Amino acid sequence: MAEPRHRLREMEALRALVTTGTTIGAARRLGVSQSSISRALGQLEQRVGRSLFLRSAGKIEPTAAALRLNDQLDPLFETLALIEGAEWASADEEPLRLIVPPTLAHNYIISRVAAFLKQNPGKNLQLDIQATDVLVSGILDLHYDLGLTSAMIRRSGVTLLPWRRSKVVCAMPAGHPLEEKDIITPSDLEGVELIEFLRRLGTRAITEQLFARAGVRPRTVAETATNMAAIELVRAGLGVTLLNPFPVLSKGMPGISVRPFDAPITYDTSFVLPTGRQPSELAQQFMEYVKDTTEPDDYSEPV
């Protein structure tokens, strides 16, 4: 019986590496040593008879074949989660395990969670606030039932249900020279101090392509990972930023002026679910509640 157990460890190592991106992250996720992860991945390659990873300078990255194999493992790990008791509690006892990124949580969802639980006494909701990459891996591994994010996710194994759609805006400190314009264009940002988002985030590549096509070179003064951090840097007078206005600017913000940005960039704020699994009744109720209680604003519209 040792052989099947070894095979499962190899598959767990593959999945952990794909979702965390490093052998260190995979080892932490599975509670084993980094060498155990490397050994399991090497054994998996021997078993399938082909290279599944690119190794260079101490890094290891999954190939397209490894990613396809990982996608095929979704039903296996969903079944294991069921066996381990994820579905054994009665429907009335099961908590809704919700995960949301910080900006969306603190500017919108926490208040909705409180109001929802007040209207539904006896219901249980577990709210975790994490970055979007943790959200995706957690949904994939069935550690959460439902997520919400405005990130541009392209990942098999998760299903996005768009809820609100918004267009990119240019946020600037009150009194900034660009405040005189009704609409900001890429050419307006030539040489302008700009607060960018980190390169690992999808919108960074899009804005860089826009500037390259327009022959424009803003002056990047800071890079950050969240809308709230970008807005606070803007409010401190560091520069302007291009971002999704929902929900952080939906009710306005002192010291910040906002103008439309002339670019075909839209953001979908979406519910995130594991692919192939029907949402629980409580998850459906919460999604409907969020939709029904979302007030109209100047920056977003229902999808």
Short mmCIF file of all heavy atoms in Angstrom, two decimals, residues 150-180:
data_model
loop_
_atom_site.label_atom_id
_atom_site.label_comp_id
_atom_site.label_asym_id
_atom_site.label_seq_id
_atom_site.Cartn_x
_atom_site.Cartn_y
_atom_site.Cartn_z
N SER A 150 -11.60 42.02 -7.12
CA SER A 150 -11.63 42.83 -8.33
C SER A 150 -10.42 42.55 -9.21
O SER A 150 -10.23 43.21 -10.22
CB SER A 150 -11.66 44.32 -7.97
OG SER A 150 -12.81 44.65 -7.23
N ALA A 151 -9.61 41.58 -8.82
CA ALA A 151 -8.41 41.26 -9.57
C ALA A 151 -8.76 40.58 -10.89
O ALA A 151 -9.81 39.94 -11.02
CB ALA A 151 -7.50 40.35 -8.75
N MET A 152 -7.86 40.70 -11.85
CA MET A 152 -8.04 40.08 -13.17
C MET A 152 -7.47 38.66 -13.10
O MET A 152 -6.30 38.42 -13.39
CB MET A 152 -7.34 40.89 -14.24
CG MET A 152 -7.89 42.30 -14.38
SD MET A 152 -6.98 43.27 -15.61
CE MET A 152 -7.86 44.84 -15.51
N ILE A 153 -8.31 37.72 -12.69
CA ILE A 153 -7.87 36.34 -12.48
C ILE A 153 -8.08 35.53 -13.76
O ILE A 153 -9.15 35.56 -14.34
CB ILE A 153 -8.64 35.69 -11.32
CG1 ILE A 153 -8.37 36.43 -10.02
CG2 ILE A 153 -8.26 34.22 -11.18
CD1 ILE A 153 -9.21 35.93 -8.87
N ARG A 154 -7.04 34.82 -14.17
CA ARG A 154 -7.14 33.88 -15.28
C ARG A 154 -6.60 32.55 -14.77
O ARG A 154 -5.42 32.26 -14.87
CB ARG A 154 -6.32 34.36 -16.49
CG ARG A 154 -6.76 35.70 -17.05
CD ARG A 154 -8.12 35.61 -17.74
NE ARG A 154 -8.49 36.88 -18.36
CZ ARG A 154 -9.16 37.83 -17.74
NH1 ARG A 154 -9.55 37.64 -16.49
NH2 ARG A 154 -9.47 38.96 -18.36
N ARG A 155 -7.46 31.74 -14.20
CA ARG A 155 -6.99 30.54 -13.53
C ARG A 155 -8.03 29.44 -13.62
O ARG A 155 -9.19 29.63 -13.29
CB ARG A 155 -6.71 30.86 -12.05
CG ARG A 155 -6.11 29.72 -11.25
CD ARG A 155 -4.70 29.43 -11.71
NE ARG A 155 -4.09 28.41 -10.90
CZ ARG A 155 -4.25 27.11 -11.08
NH1 ARG A 155 -5.04 26.67 -12.04
NH2 ARG A 155 -3.63 26.24 -10.31
N SER A 156 -7.62 28.27 -14.13
CA SER A 156 -8.54 27.14 -14.15
C SER A 156 -8.78 26.66 -12.72
O SER A 156 -7.94 26.82 -11.85
CB SER A 156 -7.96 25.99 -14.99
OG SER A 156 -6.73 25.54 -14.43
N GLY A 157 -9.95 26.11 -12.50
CA GLY A 157 -10.29 25.61 -11.17
C GLY A 157 -11.10 26.57 -10.34
O GLY A 157 -11.63 26.19 -9.29
N VAL A 158 -11.17 27.85 -10.77
CA VAL A 158 -12.02 28.81 -10.07
C VAL A 158 -12.99 29.43 -11.08
O VAL A 158 -12.65 29.62 -12.25
CB VAL A 158 -11.22 29.93 -9.37
CG1 VAL A 158 -10.32 29.34 -8.30
CG2 VAL A 158 -10.41 30.75 -10.36
N THR A 159 -14.18 29.70 -10.63
CA THR A 159 -15.21 30.31 -11.47
C THR A 159 -15.53 31.70 -10.94
O THR A 159 -15.73 31.88 -9.74
CB THR A 159 -16.49 29.45 -11.46
OG1 THR A 159 -16.20 28.18 -12.04
CG2 THR A 159 -17.61 30.12 -12.26
N LEU A 160 -15.54 32.68 -11.84
CA LEU A 160 -15.85 34.06 -11.47
C LEU A 160 -17.27 34.40 -11.88
O LEU A 160 -17.67 34.15 -13.02
CB LEU A 160 -14.88 35.03 -12.15
CG LEU A 160 -13.39 34.85 -11.86
CD1 LEU A 160 -12.60 35.95 -12.56
CD2 LEU A 160 -13.11 34.87 -10.37
N LEU A 161 -18.03 34.97 -10.95
CA LEU A 161 -19.38 35.45 -11.23
C LEU A 161 -19.36 36.97 -11.09
O LEU A 161 -19.47 37.51 -9.98
CB LEU A 161 -20.39 34.84 -10.26
CG LEU A 161 -20.46 33.31 -10.23
CD1 LEU A 161 -21.48 32.85 -9.19
CD2 LEU A 161 -20.82 32.76 -11.59
N PRO A 162 -19.18 37.71 -12.20
CA PRO A 162 -19.09 39.18 -12.12
C PRO A 162 -20.33 39.79 -11.48
O PRO A 162 -21.45 39.35 -11.72
CB PRO A 162 -18.94 39.60 -13.58
CG PRO A 162 -18.36 38.41 -14.27
CD PRO A 162 -18.98 37.23 -13.58
N TRP A 163 -20.08 40.83 -10.68
CA TRP A 163 -21.16 41.46 -9.91
C TRP A 163 -21.23 42.96 -10.19
O TRP A 163 -22.28 43.51 -10.44
CB TRP A 163 -20.90 41.15 -8.43
CG TRP A 163 -21.42 42.11 -7.44
CD1 TRP A 163 -22.68 42.63 -7.38
CD2 TRP A 163 -20.70 42.68 -6.35
NE1 TRP A 163 -22.78 43.48 -6.31
CE2 TRP A 163 -21.58 43.53 -5.66
CE3 TRP A 163 -19.40 42.54 -5.88
CZ2 TRP A 163 -21.20 44.25 -4.53
CZ3 TRP A 163 -19.02 43.25 -4.75
CH2 TRP A 163 -19.92 44.09 -4.09
N ARG A 164 -20.07 43.66 -10.17
CA ARG A 164 -20.02 45.08 -10.49
C ARG A 164 -18.93 45.32 -11.54
O ARG A 164 -17.91 44.65 -11.54
CB ARG A 164 -19.71 45.93 -9.26
CG ARG A 164 -20.62 45.74 -8.08
CD ARG A 164 -22.01 46.25 -8.32
NE ARG A 164 -22.09 47.70 -8.48
CZ ARG A 164 -23.24 48.35 -8.63
NH1 ARG A 164 -24.40 47.68 -8.65
NH2 ARG A 164 -23.27 49.66 -8.77
N ARG A 165 -19.16 46.29 -12.41
CA ARG A 165 -18.16 46.64 -13.43
C ARG A 165 -17.86 48.13 -13.32
O ARG A 165 -18.76 48.96 -13.19
CB ARG A 165 -18.67 46.31 -14.82
CG ARG A 165 -17.67 46.64 -15.95
CD ARG A 165 -18.06 45.91 -17.21
NE ARG A 165 -17.92 44.46 -17.03
CZ ARG A 165 -18.56 43.54 -17.77
NH1 ARG A 165 -19.40 43.94 -18.72
NH2 ARG A 165 -18.36 42.27 -17.55
N SER A 166 -16.59 48.48 -13.35
CA SER A 166 -16.16 49.87 -13.24
C SER A 166 -15.06 50.16 -14.24
O SER A 166 -14.43 49.24 -14.77
CB SER A 166 -15.69 50.18 -11.81
OG SER A 166 -14.76 49.20 -11.37
N LYS A 167 -14.82 51.45 -14.50
CA LYS A 167 -13.80 51.87 -15.45
C LYS A 167 -12.66 52.56 -14.71
O LYS A 167 -12.87 53.20 -13.69
CB LYS A 167 -14.39 52.82 -16.50
CG LYS A 167 -15.44 52.17 -17.39
CD LYS A 167 -15.97 53.16 -18.42
CE LYS A 167 -17.00 52.50 -19.34
NZ LYS A 167 -17.52 53.47 -20.35
N VAL A 168 -11.47 52.44 -15.26
CA VAL A 168 -10.29 53.03 -14.65
C VAL A 168 -10.45 54.54 -14.52
O VAL A 168 -11.06 55.20 -15.37
CB VAL A 168 -9.03 52.69 -15.48
CG1 VAL A 168 -9.08 53.31 -16.86
CG2 VAL A 168 -7.76 53.11 -14.74
N VAL A 169 -9.93 55.08 -13.42
CA VAL A 169 -9.92 56.53 -13.21
C VAL A 169 -8.52 56.98 -12.84
O VAL A 169 -7.66 56.17 -12.48
CB VAL A 169 -10.91 56.95 -12.09
CG1 VAL A 169 -12.33 56.56 -12.44
CG2 VAL A 169 -10.47 56.38 -10.75
N CYS A 170 -8.31 58.27 -12.92
CA CYS A 170 -7.06 58.89 -12.46
C CYS A 170 -7.37 59.64 -11.16
O CYS A 170 -8.19 60.56 -11.15
CB CYS A 170 -6.51 59.84 -13.52
SG CYS A 170 -4.95 60.64 -13.05
N ALA A 171 -6.75 59.22 -10.08
CA ALA A 171 -6.93 59.88 -8.78
C ALA A 171 -5.71 60.75 -8.52
O ALA A 171 -4.57 60.34 -8.75
CB ALA A 171 -7.10 58.85 -7.68
N MET A 172 -5.94 61.95 -8.02
CA MET A 172 -4.85 62.92 -7.82
C MET A 172 -5.10 63.71 -6.54
O MET A 172 -6.25 63.78 -6.05
CB MET A 172 -4.78 63.87 -9.02
CG MET A 172 -6.03 64.74 -9.18
SD MET A 172 -6.13 65.56 -10.80
CE MET A 172 -6.57 64.16 -11.86
N PRO A 173 -4.06 64.32 -5.98
CA PRO A 173 -4.28 65.16 -4.80
C PRO A 173 -5.12 66.38 -5.17
O PRO A 173 -5.01 66.91 -6.29
CB PRO A 173 -2.86 65.59 -4.40
CG PRO A 173 -1.93 64.70 -5.16
CD PRO A 173 -2.65 64.27 -6.39
N ALA A 174 -5.96 66.81 -4.29
CA ALA A 174 -6.75 68.02 -4.53
C ALA A 174 -5.80 69.18 -4.82
O ALA A 174 -4.79 69.36 -4.14
CB ALA A 174 -7.62 68.33 -3.31
N GLY A 175 -6.13 69.94 -5.89
CA GLY A 175 -5.30 71.05 -6.28
C GLY A 175 -4.22 70.71 -7.27
O GLY A 175 -3.45 71.58 -7.69
N HIS A 176 -4.15 69.47 -7.70
CA HIS A 176 -3.15 69.05 -8.70
C HIS A 176 -3.44 69.77 -10.03
O HIS A 176 -4.61 70.00 -10.37
CB HIS A 176 -3.21 67.53 -8.89
CG HIS A 176 -2.07 66.96 -9.66
ND1 HIS A 176 -2.03 66.97 -11.04
CD2 HIS A 176 -0.93 66.35 -9.25
CE1 HIS A 176 -0.91 66.39 -11.44
NE2 HIS A 176 -0.22 65.99 -10.38
N PRO A 177 -2.41 70.11 -10.83
CA PRO A 177 -2.65 70.79 -12.11
C PRO A 177 -3.61 70.04 -13.04
O PRO A 177 -4.36 70.68 -13.79
CB PRO A 177 -1.25 70.87 -12.72
CG PRO A 177 -0.33 70.90 -11.53
CD PRO A 177 -0.98 70.03 -10.51
N LEU A 178 -3.61 68.70 -13.01
CA LEU A 178 -4.50 67.94 -13.88
C LEU A 178 -5.96 68.04 -13.47
O LEU A 178 -6.85 67.61 -14.20
CB LEU A 178 -4.08 66.47 -13.93
CG LEU A 178 -2.76 66.16 -14.64
CD1 LEU A 178 -2.43 64.68 -14.56
CD2 LEU A 178 -2.82 66.60 -16.10
N GLU A 179 -6.21 68.62 -12.31
CA GLU A 179 -7.58 68.77 -11.82
C GLU A 179 -8.40 69.66 -12.76
O GLU A 179 -9.63 69.57 -12.79
CB GLU A 179 -7.55 69.36 -10.42
CG GLU A 179 -8.83 69.20 -9.62
CD GLU A 179 -8.65 69.73 -8.21
OE1 GLU A 179 -8.01 70.81 -8.05
OE2 GLU A 179 -9.15 69.10 -7.27
N GLU A 180 -7.74 70.49 -13.55
CA GLU A 180 -8.44 71.39 -14.46
C GLU A 180 -9.05 70.65 -15.64
O GLU A 180 -9.92 71.19 -16.33
CB GLU A 180 -7.47 72.45 -14.98
CG GLU A 180 -6.92 73.36 -13.89
CD GLU A 180 -5.94 74.39 -14.45
OE1 GLU A 180 -5.69 74.36 -15.68
OE2 GLU A 180 -5.44 75.22 -13.67
#
